[in-house]
Amino acid sequence: MARRRVAKKREVLPDSVYGDKIVTKFINGIMKDGKKSLAENIFYTAMDKIKEKTGEEGIDTFRKALENIQPLLEVKSRRIGGATYQIPIEVRPERSQTLAIRWLVKYTRARKEYGMIDKLASELIAAANEDGATFKKKEDTHKMADANRAFAHYKW
């Protein structure tokens, strides 16, 4: 951990279509090898595909999905007296958003469909309906935190 100064938070610019910073963060999460235009194309095409499948706006489904998969609690390992305990802690809003984006990209890539656009559209629809692998990850994280509630007094 740095002793001199705290790193400054770098703000991202809002995206060109929706004017939303969360969308930019998500596009940056999708991006590989600096190919931002490809990541933008994947995201915006997936938004169109969601509208085609569900009939509602893709960005609304995206926001609902992110809201559904943001964790409130997580566990953190803490070593006390030779034993390691999983201590439940509350998640800061920025970290909650970052974890949701990371999980969404990870489980989108793991889907058994052809093409990233179809995978992303399907995973977002599933997460908006409180279903799918990403929502299951959030539920598992909450269950683990709940199971280790007895060690909550060790948090610092």
Side-chain angles (χ1 to χ4, degrees), residues 70-122:
Q70 285 184 351
L72 302 172
L73 295 169
E74 68 177 341
V75 292
K76 190 174 187 178
S77 294
R78 175 109 194 270
R79 193 168 168 85
I80 298 164
T84 304
Y85 297 108
Q86 297 283 328
I87 300 169
I89 58 168
E90 291 181 13
V91 184
R92 294 186 331 272
E94 305 90 50
R95 177 160 170 78
S96 177
Q97 187 182 75
T98 304
L99 283 173
I101 290 170
R102 189 181 307 156
W103 292 344
L104 195 54
V105 171
K106 177 182 176 184
Y107 290 108
T108 297
R109 288 192 175 127
R111 278 183 87 91
K112 300 274 191 261
E113 292 177 44
Y114 181 75
M116 186 64 180
I117 294 167
D118 293 331
K119 290 179 182 183
L120 180 59
S122 299

Side-chain angles (χ1 to χ4, degrees), residues 1-126:
M1 195 165 147
R3 291 176 180 258
R4 289 179 183 248
R5 60 187 93 81
V6 178
K8 286 191 286 188
K9 292 272 186 208
R10 287 182 287 181
E11 287 295 317
V12 295
L13 298 172
D15 77 304
S16 57
V17 176
Y18 300 110
D20 195 352
K21 291 183 180 184
I22 298 170
V23 171
T24 303
K25 288 179 185 178
F26 188 75
I27 288 171
N28 289 343
I30 294 173
M31 181 173 58
K32 279 188 171 180
D33 298 328
K35 297 186 178 187
K36 192 161 192 165
S37 58
L38 180 61
E40 286 174 342
N41 185 30
I42 289 169
F43 180 78
Y44 296 131
T45 311
M47 292 297 108
D48 295 339
K49 189 152 275 203
I50 288 170
K51 183 171 180 159
E52 188 179 296
K53 282 184 179 180
T54 64
E56 57 186 66
E57 287 296 320
I59 192 69
D60 296 334
T61 306
F62 172 72
R63 287 192 182 116
K64 187 176 178 188
L66 265 187
E67 186 180 305
N68 285 345
I69 62 176
Q70 285 184 351
L72 302 172
L73 295 169
E74 68 177 341
V75 292
K76 190 174 187 178
S77 294
R78 175 109 194 270
R79 193 168 168 85
I80 298 164
T84 304
Y85 297 108
Q86 297 283 328
I87 300 169
I89 58 168
E90 291 181 13
V91 184
R92 294 186 331 272
E94 305 90 50
R95 177 160 170 78
S96 177
Q97 187 182 75
T98 304
L99 283 173
I101 290 170
R102 189 181 307 156
W103 292 344
L104 195 54
V105 171
K106 177 182 176 184
Y107 290 108
T108 297
R109 288 192 175 127
R111 278 183 87 91
K112 300 274 191 261
E113 292 177 44
Y114 181 75
M116 186 64 180
I117 294 167
D118 293 331
K119 290 179 182 183
L120 180 59
S122 299
E123 189 63 34
L124 283 172
I125 291 168

